[in-house]
Amino acid sequence: MLSSAGTKYDFNALRQIGEDYEINFVLKGPRGLRPVARLVSPHRDLEMAVITDQPGLLFYTGAGLPEARGLDGQVHGPSLGICLEAAGFADSVNRPHFPSPVLRPGETYRNICEYRFTAL
């Protein structure tokens, strides 16, 4: 596993997101429900925390999306949103050292992902 320290993927301190990002982070620490990400609005008046029991977090800004019109003619385009998706790893079935994505007959799959919003 590579460290993100000192790279454009180092989010250990608050900073503005402005580049093209699409990366799946391997989350450190023990499995189980824990906070894994925190976003703060530019005016520092709203915070969103992501709490999950999943081993990975997909971070995607949509920088490569084309401009399009939505409801009421609203313009949608590159980097106008962000996705933080808690999940396993896409290639887990081929990587024995990754958590297994296989669900056997009779087994139940459960996971938790909470998005908590706080006015600051």
Side-chain angles (χ1 to χ4, degrees), residues 17-21 60-69 74-83:
I17 298 170
E19 295 185 41
D20 179 11
Y21 290 100
Y60 175 66
T61 61
L65 294 174
E67 191 173 285
R69 295 217 175 261
Q74 189 173 21
V75 178
H76 302 278
S79 301
L80 291 179
I82 187 170
C83 171

Side-chain angles (χ1 to χ4, degrees), residues 11-78:
F11 293 100
N12 287 301
L14 283 178
R15 66 182 179 89
Q16 186 171 347
I17 298 170
E19 295 185 41
D20 179 11
Y21 290 100
E22 184 173 358
I23 187 169
N24 191 18
F25 287 100
V26 175
L27 302 173
K28 289 183 178 180
R31 289 282 305 268
L33 197 58
R34 73 244 187 247
V36 298
R38 181 172 71 108
L39 297 177
V40 178
S41 68
H43 298 292
R44 297 188 182 258
D45 57 353
L46 182 65
E47 176 181 288
M48 182 184 83
V50 181
I51 296 96
T52 188
D53 60 357
Q54 292 297 290
L57 186 70
L58 175 63
F59 173 42
Y60 175 66
T61 61
L65 294 174
E67 191 173 285
R69 295 217 175 261
L71 291 175
D72 299 324
Q74 189 173 21
V75 178
H76 302 278

